[in-house]
Amino acid sequence: MSGVVAVVAQRVWDALVDRGFEPALRRGAAEVGRYQEWTGVPVPAEVAELWSVLGGRDLLGMCLEGADSAGRYVAARADEAESSDPGEPFEELDGSAEDAVRKVWWDRGWCALYATADLAIAVDSHPGAKGRVGQVVYCDMDMYADREAVWESVEEFLRDLLAVVSSEGLTVEDGFGSLAGTDGYRYLVSMAVLELGRARRDGRPVSLVAFAEGNDRH
């Protein structure tokens, strides 16, 4: 799989440039080694490939992490988790369906691709009993929310991102991209990507107007 992630990441870049929206650098780029300095764990190889093309870039409102910003975020979240009792630090927290993701607030083995104060999308190198190394998880940082295994790999995540930014239904306003949903709401880029991943995982139709007919996401 070596190099495939970088190729797909470049396709994301090219799709945006072709439409006149060159991804802007919003978060400082840094050497990959900075991530391990912050977290104490190496960055997954697929994430290093992604960062080589899109690290720190703003994709119409979805600002991806770079080595330094991801390391800071992961270290802070992990410190919060590790400051509590050993084991499962938040018993109230729901684990993901079928034990794919461990029932913890945060783990140093989760490498953030996209993160805010409220949510994160991360590569999981320390999965649950029925998960897989390299799966990409969604974490709602609400105390009672699930940690979900949504994509099987970084490549799958990027292909959904490519589908969103390439969609003819994408509307861009004030630097933010969005897609109309069949429910009448608009989905920002990050939430549209999440909807594509969840729909595939769950085997259901996509609730985005641009993908509602035929479910052709790639």
Side-chain angles (χ1 to χ4, degrees):
M1 180 172 286
S2 178
V4 174
V5 167
V7 169
V8 181
Q10 187 63 53
R11 289 179 62 194
V12 172
W13 178 289
D14 293 343
L16 287 168
V17 172
D18 287 346
R19 302 183 67 165
F21 302 111
E22 182 169 331
L25 182 64
R26 298 297 187 196
R27 295 177 178 166
E31 294 296 324
V32 171
R34 287 285 291 162
Y35 180 83
Q36 186 165 347
E37 290 179 22
W38 279 107
T39 65
V41 298
V43 64
E46 286 187 313
V47 180
E49 286 187 37
L50 169 59
W51 287 346
S52 72
V53 181
L54 295 176
R57 302 287 173 174
D58 183 0
L59 309 183
L60 299 181
M62 184 179 188
C63 191
L64 297 183
E65 299 297 327
D68 196 60
S69 58
R72 289 171 181 263
Y73 183 91
V74 171
R77 299 290 79 77
D79 286 347
E80 290 172 359
E82 293 163 6
S83 66
S84 60
D85 292 333
E88 297 177 358
F90 293 92
E91 294 182 0
E92 307 93 337
L93 187 66
D94 291 330
S96 75
E98 301 181 353
D99 295 326
V101 184
R102 294 175 61 246
K103 183 182 169 183
V104 294
W105 176 248
W106 195 269
D107 188 282
R108 289 185 186 273
W110 298 351
C111 179
L113 301 179
Y114 170 67
T116 70
D118 300 317
L119 61 92
I121 294 173
V123 180
D124 186 0
S125 61
H126 192 187
K130 297 183 180 179
R132 55 183 290 173
V133 172
Q135 66 189 4
V136 180
V137 301
Y138 171 75
C139 300
D140 184 328
M141 301 311 289
D142 180 83
M143 178 65 73
Y144 302 101
D146 287 346
R147 271 67 175 133
E148 305 177 47
V150 179
W151 301 271
E152 292 189 354
S153 66
V154 176
E155 180 186 349
E156 189 172 87
F157 163 77
L158 281 175
R159 290 192 183 279
D160 282 346
L161 178 56
L162 177 61
V164 169
V165 300
S166 301
S167 172
E168 293 183 0
L170 185 72
T171 298
V172 180
E173 184 176 356
D174 295 330
F176 289 85
S178 65
L179 286 172
T182 57
D183 54 7
Y185 292 96
R186 297 202 67 84
Y187 290 66
L188 293 176
V189 170
S190 56
M191 293 298 100
V193 174
L194 178 62
E195 167 56 22
L196 289 186
R198 282 172 164 169
R200 179 196 301 103
R201 179 197 64 188
D202 299 339
R204 61 168 175 78
V206 179
S207 60
L208 298 169
V209 172
F211 301 98
E213 295 182 4
N215 268 350
D216 183 7
R217 284 166 277 183
H218 306 301

